[in-house]
Amino acid sequence: DTAVSQTPKYLVTQMGNDKSIKCEQNLGHDTMYWYKQDSKKFLKIMFSYNNKELIINETVPNRFSPKSPDKAHLNLHINSLELGDSAVYFCASSQVGGYNEQFFGPGTRLTVL
Amino acid sequence: RKEVEQDPGPFNVPEGATVAFNCTYSNSASQSFFWYRQDCRKEPKLLMSVYSSGNEDGRFTAQLNRASQYISLLIRDSKLSDSATYLCVVNSIPGGGADGLTFGKGTHLIIQP
């Protein structure tokens, strides 16, 4: 199936740990993104990356870093996890900028204890 | 004033009724507008883009009012399957770019049999 996939679907971890979430898209899109949806359901963009340019939302702590091994993957690394990092993280992709449809992955529910 | 505002609801509507909700945005330079649908514990999916002239897709009609800076979504003959959260999305970056995407918190719609 053509889609955006993420692993793991659920992630429960202790404060202070380092974790990664993987994302892959097989839609041939040139731009990928990470979003965070908090407990109040507010969806906010964290990063966008298109092989040429990484755009970082200035509010994102530098403990969060995206890593793109190739055009089809954009993984999210989180260092020194904090309680406030608990949220659902969505990966997404689109073809050209924000005018085109964003295709979201199923989300990763992160719980920091 | 928040960038994108929506009435969170919930809107409880009987099956078959018509329901409409609005979304206001604060940035007059906003370029493009979308409605996304998000089911409980699922990822957002594009419902429809909103064009200046207004557009219709089956039972769904979207309107844009630039002068008053709001967009609307009208659902006719509502179905049980329309129950979801509807996210208003505004892009304020000329030329696109998902870093300019701002999501509203969503309007929760419940269609009752």
Side-chain angles (χ1 to χ4, degrees), chain B residues 11 13 17-21 73-78 109 111:
Chain B
F11 283 46
V13 175
T18 295
V19 59
F21 27 84
L73 179 67
L74 178 80
I75 306 174
R76 290 181 298 276
D77 187 24
S78 53
L109 175 65
I111 305 299

Side-chain angles (χ1 to χ4, degrees), chain A residues 23-104:
Chain A
C23 177
E24 176 182 2
Q25 57 95 5
N26 59 8
L27 298 165
H29 289 164
D30 57 13
T31 309
M32 296 183 72
Y33 315 88
W34 278 103
Y35 289 83
K36 178 181 180 181
Q37 189 168 43
D38 60 26
S39 58
K40 296 181 180 179
K41 307 299 182 186
F42 191 35
L43 192 66
K44 195 162 187 180
I45 192 167
M46 301 175 70
F47 305 101
S48 68
Y49 183 73
N50 69 355
N51 250 9
K52 299 174 185 176
E53 188 179 16
L54 172 66
I55 298 175
I56 303 170
N57 185 317
E58 59 190 13
T59 66
V60 175
N62 57 15
R63 298 181 294 103
F64 291 78
S65 57
K67 297 279 194 297
S68 180
D70 55 60
K71 188 178 173 182
H73 296 83
L74 184 66
N75 303 325
L76 182 65
H77 296 272
I78 316 170
N79 295 326
S80 302
L81 278 156
E82 300 178 358
L83 293 176
D85 297 334
S86 296
V88 180
Y89 292 84
F90 288 101
C91 178
S93 70
S94 70
Q95 184 52 32
V96 179
Y99 282 116
N100 292 320
E101 180 178 354
Q102 295 268 305
F103 288 81
F104 285 83

Side-chain angles (χ1 to χ4, degrees), chain A residues 9-10 31 33 35 37 40-45 48 55 90 94 96-107 109, chain B residues 4 31-32 34 36 38 41-46 49 87 91 93-106:
Chain A
K9 190 168 183 179
Y10 299 95
T31 309
Y33 315 88
Y35 289 83
Q37 189 168 43
K40 296 181 180 179
K41 307 299 182 186
F42 191 35
L43 192 66
K44 195 162 187 180
I45 192 167
S48 68
I55 298 175
F90 288 101
S94 70
V96 179
Y99 282 116
N100 292 320
E101 180 178 354
Q102 295 268 305
F103 288 81
F104 285 83
R109 186 171 295 273
Chain B
V4 178
Q31 300 288 314
S32 51
F34 312 88
Y36 276 72
Q38 186 172 22
R41 303 180 79 85
K42 297 286 188 180
E43 71 273 21
K45 292 183 179 179
L46 181 67
S49 301
L87 304 170
N91 191 332
I93 302 292
D99 51 299
L101 283 180
T102 302
F103 284 74
K105 289 190 177 183

